[in-house]
């Protein structure tokens, strides 16, 4: 078997392949990775460090992880005590997460931020979004960010972790977020609790709350 293609090069190729379908490239990428044709750098069982350091105590209520991939962040929240839902637009990713975490209490599902199930809107006490919005072309950024916001229940919290951009750059994927773009999560009744920049690599970690 030939060496698998680079994840970065394949992401760049697929992510710019069809501007009319800016989210359509996720399933081909996951399918290629599942088949061993593309390297899989997200092959890990630990939660994102910026999430792990923020969630340092047991939690209660409902949580949802946007763009869950193989489920490491969702499993972390479930271990803390949250009733956790996790979704991804790629059916292959969701199937892989379910297989990897057989018997998990996490409810894994296929879902699209631009077309969310009505039952999810305003349903979650904690919404975690890591790297999903930045992975999609800016042409639909407003819609994706609005989709994330819509998941937050009254009194609920949104945690967004994204790469930092000092200025708008259309050379992606990914398309990291400027300060104004990360602050845009704080609309539609959500207010910023904190927007901090973490270093090496430079990341936004922003917390918002719905009043």
């Amino acid at each position: 078997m030939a060496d698998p293609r680079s994840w970065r090069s394949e992401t760049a190729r697929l992510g710019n392949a069809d501007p009319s379908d800016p989210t359509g490239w996720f399933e081909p990428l996951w399918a290629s990775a599942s088949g061993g044709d593309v390297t899989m750098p997200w092959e890990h069982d630990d939660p994102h460090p910026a999430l792990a350091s923020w969630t340092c105590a047991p939690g209660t209520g409902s949580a949802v992880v946007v763009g869950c991939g193989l489920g490491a962040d969702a499993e972390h929240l479930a271990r803390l005590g949250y009733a956790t839902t996790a979704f991804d637009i790629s059916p292959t990713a969701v199937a892989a997460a379910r297989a990897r975490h057989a018997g998990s209490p996490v409810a894994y599902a296929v879902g699209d931020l631009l077309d969310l199930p009505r039952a999810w809107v305003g349903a979650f006490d904690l919404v975690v979004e890591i790297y999903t919005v930045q992975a999609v072309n800016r042409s639909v950024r407003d819609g994706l960010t609005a989709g994330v916001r819509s998941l937050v229940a009254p009194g609920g919290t949104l945690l967004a972790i994204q790469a930092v951009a000092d200025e708008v750059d259309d050379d992606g994927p990914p398309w990291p977020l400027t300060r104004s773009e990360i602050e845009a999560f704080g609309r539609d009744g959500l207010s910023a609790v904190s927007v901090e920049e973490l270093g090496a690599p430079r990341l936004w970690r922003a917390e918002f709350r719905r009043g």
Side-chain angles (χ1 to χ4, degrees):
M1 179 179 174
D3 289 337
R5 299 185 296 276
S6 162
W7 169 78
R8 289 188 180 276
S9 63
E10 193 69 358
T11 298
R13 182 182 74 83
L14 291 170
N16 291 289
D18 185 359
S20 68
D21 186 14
T23 62
W25 60 276
F26 287 99
E27 175 59 16
L29 179 65
W30 273 100
S32 294
S34 180
D37 298 322
V38 174
T39 57
M40 190 182 285
W42 49 82
E43 181 78 32
H44 60 84
D45 293 316
D46 297 322
H48 191 288
L51 171 63
S53 61
W54 185 83
T55 51
C56 54
T60 58
S62 59
V64 63
V65 176
V66 178
C68 64
L70 292 175
D73 297 324
E75 295 297 323
H76 171 69
L77 295 180
R79 287 193 295 271
L80 289 174
Y82 290 97
T84 305
T85 298
F87 71 93
D88 201 287
I89 197 170
S90 165
T92 298
V94 172
R98 287 173 176 160
R100 171 169 289 212
H101 305 290
S104 168
V106 176
Y108 288 102
V110 176
D112 183 347
L113 268 176
L114 298 175
D115 186 21
L116 290 167
R118 186 180 297 275
W120 290 359
V121 174
F124 299 99
D125 301 307
L126 174 62
V127 176
V128 174
E129 150 50 0
I130 303 177
Y131 296 162
T132 303
V133 167
Q134 73 175 46
V136 185
N137 192 284
R138 280 191 169 88
S139 63
V140 290
R141 176 151 295 174
D142 288 348
L144 295 173
T145 306
V148 174
R149 292 194 303 263
S150 75
L151 295 164
V152 184
T157 297
L158 162 61
L159 182 72
I161 298 169
Q162 309 287 326
V164 173
D166 293 317
E167 57 186 28
V168 173
D169 183 355
D170 290 326
D171 184 18
W175 293 271
L177 278 65
T178 63
R179 174 169 282 275
S180 63
E181 288 175 322
I182 192 71
E183 289 176 346
F185 283 101
R187 297 176 182 170
D188 298 338
L190 276 78
S191 301
V193 176
S194 65
V195 178
E196 56 184 329
E197 182 178 330
L198 309 179
R202 294 176 67 202
L203 297 174
W204 298 118
R205 181 169 65 184
E207 179 184 345
F208 304 88
R209 189 159 300 144
R210 189 181 295 286

